[in-house]
Amino acid sequence: MASAFPEKSSTPRLLSRERLKSFSLLPSRFLKEKFLNVKKKVSNGVSFLPRIGPFLPMSGTNEKLPSVLQKQSLFQVSPPELVFENFATQEVSEMVLSLVNKDKFPRPVKVSMERSPHFELMCPNDVFHIVPPGTSSPLRIRFTPDEMKNYCHELVCLTARERIVVPIRAIGARAILHFPDQLDFSECPVKYSTQKTLLVHNIGNLAADYQLSTQSPFSVVPARGTLGAGDTMQVTVEFHPLTIGDHSGSLAVCCNTGEKSIQTNLHGEAVDANIGLSTYSVKIGKTFINTSNYTTMFIENRSNITAHFQWKTFPTEEDENEEKRRQCCLLQPLKEVPPDNFIEEEDTEQEEGSSEDHTALLSYMVQEEMEKVQEDPMLFSDDIFSIEPMVTLMNHGAIDAPFTYIHTTANVGYCFKFAPEEGIIAPGGIQTIQISFNATVAGRFEEEFQFSVAGSPTSAILTIKGRVSEPEPTLHFNVNELDFGDISFGFPSTKTCRLTNPSPVPLSFKLRMSDDGTQPAVSSFDQIRNDSDPSWTEGIHFYVEPREFTMNPRQGTIPPQGHQDIEVTLCSNTVMEFYRTMLVDLEGFGSGVASLSITARCLVPELRVYPHMLLYDECRLKVPYERKFLVVNDTHLPGCYGLVPQKRMEDTPVFYSSPQPCGIVQPHSIAEIPVVLEVQTLGEHRTSVVIGVFGDERNPRSVVLQSTGRLADIYPVPRLIEFGRIPALQPNSQTFTLFNEGLVPRDFRIETVCKPHCYIIEPREGVIPTRGKIPVTITATLDDTGLVADTVQLFIGNSLWTTFMLVAVGTGTKIVTDKPFVPELSLGCQFRYEHYSPKFKPQPPKEKRTSLGYSAFQMRRFKIRNGEEPATALRESWDPAQPLGAEAFSILPQSGVLQPGERQQVSFTFSGHLNTTASVTALCHVEGGPTYEVGLTGEASHLSYSLSQREINCGFQMFNNLHHSTVTLANTGKIEFKWMLNLSIAEQHLPGVFVVNPTIGSIAPGGKQVLKFFYMPGVPGAFSRTFQLKVGGLDPENICLKGEAFFPMISVNLPWNIEGNEKYEQLMKHLQQYSQGNKSVEQKKTQTPRTQILKMENVKPRVPDSGIVPNTQLQIKMVTMLIEEAALELQEMLISHLPNSFPDKELCQSLVKVELPEYVLDMGTVRKGYTERRTLMITNPGRMPVSFQVDVSALQGTGFRVNLDQIQSLPHRHTIMLEVCFESAHRSRGDVDVLLPIEVAKGPTYNIRLRATVLELSLHLSGQGLEARLEFSPPALKMGWTPQWR
């Protein structure tokens, strides 16, 4: 059930690194700040709020209630975090925290800090302070370190509306990297890489886990690593500008201390290199069709760098990227096909089990095409023009130069071809030589080629060098992505993929994960072995990043055309969304030749602990008692929990431990934590216990053990009666023993609070002898499944002596037959021709088939038109050609006359027997014209349909919420039929909103129609509505919708005061008469003669004052009737919106906003200076968990106070204790009367009238002679209503 209380804050307790990184310093200024003395610092930083959340929520659910919490905090804390730096061992340091009240009224705030040997709050701890409006309250924190290390703590400020957590950190040993303030690259060629190397020194006293980052066009290597204290390393910064002009950036340095990052300013100027073309315009001469022509140009490099060039299609990189985006967008529609276009195809594929494969294949193909687009270098390409590198021979002489190519077979010379191989070059002329190369071997080569020139003593030499690479080896995965989905913190999850080698040679591979750490991660199975591990409450402390991914195998060799299955296991110790890449390195070829994307989301499941307060009641000193906490996991992920062991001291009043403190709770299940308690001192005790959730160390579950140490004389053993898992509606028994260690026999009576009809107690009443014992048997017959808890009350005489718990888990079903089916169902001996039916009702079939009788009729109409228009009329006649089956068809009219341009409508009627098919040919004769043939086919069938369900079990629903269910109506026959569905006329006047959509329609053969039922019960209690379905001419059929409606409610073990309210008095009188009548009938049926005698002898009924209602069950019934009355009054408004719209949420919520009678808690007379306490039991009598909030602001300045203000998700039939305390020290003499509201989420508001009378006693002594008289003022003491139990 959703709650309306504010969500629990998910902000971490320690200040996030992202917020710390938002402030960067130059290295020189950072060094200056780090060596300042912390005592000289003033906490005057930027003031913004630390983590603020709702005050002490019971659980971490996301439910919300109408609350008094403000969206903006009433207090401002400055600074938001206290950080002690540069401290010395055993030297005292102090910092001041300011708490400012931004409200217009004085506000109380309680400042508390857990006890620590290193941090001390220099003001009263765990007490309230009143902060005037607009002023600040200084808080001084003292820090005394005993060694040079990091410390962390926190300060908590509690108000009636919020909880403010201020982190406190002390940074001892630190890593400090020495970087320059600025790095200048001066002038550098554009589109060229220029590098500078820095020598970095760690001048700190701690190893630095560093991370370096910068922005384009700058880059840095290495980007991350570890540098030991006092060590040095080289850092290379590269400047690669793509455009000319000035460029600036910063080199950010972040270390593992969580402090501000430092940054080095980077600057460089990009200029064009002296590289040019021989011409910037190329004109090719006239060329015949189907022939080629060419011209030559030169690229000249006059700079001092090697120039690598490419001929591109687009002038800039931005234009290239725009074209790539355009091409990817063209591929996008293939990837994002609208679902409506493939409904029929998907349905067919799902039946064949291949839809997922086709979708994955389509996605893979699109992904491959998009990768090709991204890898395209966008070189120049044209259907007509081409650019190729050429070799030219130039004649610098004055005469013609005949030349000839000299062939060679050395090395790779035979792989080259030159065209032309010979020719004559005129004086000053140029001959272009085209070279082709067909490599046959891999490796580097350098070859000289000679051209002889007639008349020249030396040859012209051309040197060609390069490297021939083998075909790139290819590996690919069988999937595009490994998606782990949601995984639980610390729980290993494994996925499998396949790496395939399609190449003709074996390949040796190594796998690595991007951005993964080196320190092994901690699994939940290791964590539960040690309940004293500090990571339960402080989290896991890694010296380096954790290694959360494991690949098996991590390396190996894949044979040609072979494959290797890879198991990837993720054990996350970080709550985050993972976007990682698994890279494949090949020996001898390169790194990252293949990759696979890996995604996952690590979560910590929300575990809830019940009960919030574990009651041990009266415990004999130093005697162990065992109870159990229940750890409930309603999520789809497993969780790991651990009870933090107790730190005992000499004066610890209560010892507790657990034989099984840690464990794992599976999804949607419940685990138990047994807690053994041993009270050491007399009196009442409330012992706080912390249950940690692995991965959620910032939000430990705090629960309470409540016990009372006493030298008991009457007590039950055991105090927790556990039935375990028992089948519902079947009796199961457990036994406990009542002990009397007193010196007199004592009368006792035992009762159960919540469901007395489910339990039989023998004996229920009796006498415990002196120093004796009596065994008691409780037989439970549960009427429900799931967790059931009840309270057992032990009365000694007429007083409630003690209470203890009864717990069971109902299993099985709540429906049984009056005759068993196993081991056999015997029908006995019966007459041969008579039917005998056993007395049980089978479920109705899901499909209904109804016959139409012996025949069905289906009409078809045929239109014929004379296309010609002769001067005379045409006469036509019809004649069925085949006698067999023709009797099933009739044609009207069988003959007639058509005037020119006239039409005649012809009716064909088929009358066949059930499940028969007939086929004939009808002939239409035209006098003086042709004969036309018309094929007739008919089939007789019956209407049949099926319903997915005929009874909609809505279960438990909120009576004022709109819900919906669906039923599918399918046409299982061969004939289209019409249908109609409406609410039964007899039930249309009943309260609530019950609508179905659609209400009419038709369904073709094989078709389906989803019927949507929308309903809001309107009033609490069981509801049932019947909708009548009419299909064709068949008999109507009923669809029943039923369930039970409820509303959130609570009950308090206090009486009501309805005196003077005529409405309440009449209603209560009616309920009492009805209850007494039912009670007397029930007692006559269930009581044995012995129990009747015991009740007559021992029970003394208590008659309350006029106008007081002490019976809790009557109170619950009266609240239900008041809700019903208010809902019926608004019924007309609810249905006025129909059928166009449904009632709005505001109107629905108003159904529970009724005025209820007030509970009365009268403390009676309290002497001034004394404190009076009462403990109330608030119970959830409803069907679902309930959340409520106590408005403690109403008690301010009244002397009354309570020990809690809000509870979330109190389970069904569970009870929580509310302690009400009245302090009279600061109250004047007289009556105190205050109203305490309790707001129930999505339910009514309950009010408790708190009363007390403050008394100041005065003693008067007067007398005459020997006679004296004592007088007290006031002369009488007034006692009020209080709960009756111990």
Side-chain angles (χ1 to χ4, degrees), residues 52-67:
I52 300 176
F55 175 63
L56 294 178
M58 179 179 176
S59 65
T61 61
N62 292 327
E63 304 173 310
K64 294 189 175 181
L65 263 181
S67 174

Side-chain angles (χ1 to χ4, degrees), residues 898-918:
L898 288 179
Q899 299 297 330
E902 186 180 0
R903 292 183 180 183
Q904 174 66 53
Q905 185 170 340
V906 181
S907 299
F908 296 85
T909 303
F910 171 69
S911 304
H913 295 290
L914 182 64
N915 297 327
T916 60
T917 302

Side-chain angles (χ1 to χ4, degrees), residues 4-6 54-55 65-72 74 107 159-162 1189-1194 1205-1206 1237 1239:
F5 286 122
F55 175 63
L65 263 181
S67 174
V68 296
L69 293 174
Q70 303 296 321
K71 295 181 179 179
Q72 185 176 6
L74 299 178
R107 292 289 180 182
T159 70
R161 298 186 177 182
E162 58 199 358
Q1189 177 166 307
V1190 182
D1191 188 3
V1192 296
S1193 62
D1205 66 342
Q1206 74 178 43
E1239 298 178 1

Side-chain angles (χ1 to χ4, degrees), residues 149-349:
K149 68 174 186 179
N150 294 341
Y151 297 86
C152 63
H153 204 49
E154 67 179 18
L155 179 72
V156 180
C157 302
L158 295 177
T159 70
R161 298 186 177 182
E162 58 199 358
R163 183 174 187 264
I164 306 174
V165 178
V166 181
I168 304 175
R169 293 192 302 128
I171 302 176
R174 70 173 70 242
I176 302 177
L177 300 182
H178 189 195
F179 277 82
D181 287 353
Q182 183 166 337
L183 184 61
D184 195 349
F185 283 84
S186 301
E187 288 188 356
C188 301
V190 69
K191 300 181 180 178
Y192 183 79
S193 295
T194 305
Q195 297 179 344
K196 283 184 179 281
T197 301
L198 301 177
L199 189 64
V200 179
H201 183 205
N202 183 359
I203 61 177
N205 53 4
L206 181 68
D209 293 328
Y210 63 86
Q211 182 173 353
L212 309 179
S213 60
T214 184
Q215 313 85 30
S216 179
F218 300 96
S219 60
V220 60
V221 175
R224 61 176 58 197
T226 302
L227 183 62
D231 294 345
T232 58
M233 67 173 182
Q234 288 185 341
V235 173
T236 301
V237 182
E238 183 179 271
F239 177 45
H240 187 89
L242 300 179
T243 58
I244 62 173
D246 289 336
H247 298 271
S248 60
S250 62
L251 173 62
V253 183
C254 182
C255 292
N256 56 338
T257 59
E259 301 175 291
K260 302 176 182 178
S261 62
I262 61 175
Q263 64 178 19
T264 296
N265 294 327
L266 305 177
H267 179 264
E269 183 181 359
V271 297
D272 284 326
N274 190 6
I275 300 172
L277 303 176
S278 60
T279 178
Y280 289 90
S281 175
V282 175
K283 183 177 181 181
I284 299 177
K286 295 181 179 179
T287 307
F288 292 105
I289 297 176
N290 294 330
T291 63
S292 61
N293 198 355
Y294 67 90
T295 188
T296 305
M297 61 176 299
F298 300 95
I299 301 175
E300 300 177 0
N301 182 7
R302 305 182 186 91
S303 68
N304 57 356
I305 64 173
T306 301
H308 301 271
F309 67 91
Q310 289 179 321
W311 293 95
K312 295 275 193 170
T313 301
F314 297 96
T316 64
E317 185 175 357
E318 290 77 8
D319 294 334
E320 284 186 4
N321 293 334
E322 182 65 28
E323 174 62 18
K324 290 180 180 180
R325 284 192 293 267
R326 186 189 68 82
Q327 295 184 17
C328 289
C329 289
L330 295 178
L331 295 172
Q332 203 69 17
L334 297 176
K335 188 176 180 182
E336 299 178 355
V337 178
D340 296 340
N341 296 344
F342 293 97
I343 291 178
E344 296 181 3
E345 180 179 352
E346 287 185 357
D347 291 342
T348 305
E349 289 179 342

Side-chain angles (χ1 to χ4, degrees), residues 68 107 160-161 1189-1202 1205 1227 1232-1239 1246-1250:
V68 296
R107 292 289 180 182
R161 298 186 177 182
Q1189 177 166 307
V1190 182
D1191 188 3
V1192 296
S1193 62
L1195 303 181
Q1196 187 172 357
T1198 64
F1200 285 97
R1201 59 180 174 87
V1202 294
D1205 66 342
R1227 299 295 304 174
V1232 179
D1233 190 304
V1234 62
L1235 193 64
L1236 177 63
I1238 302 178
E1239 298 178 1
Y1246 294 78
N1247 294 304
I1248 302 179
R1249 178 69 63 179
L1250 303 178

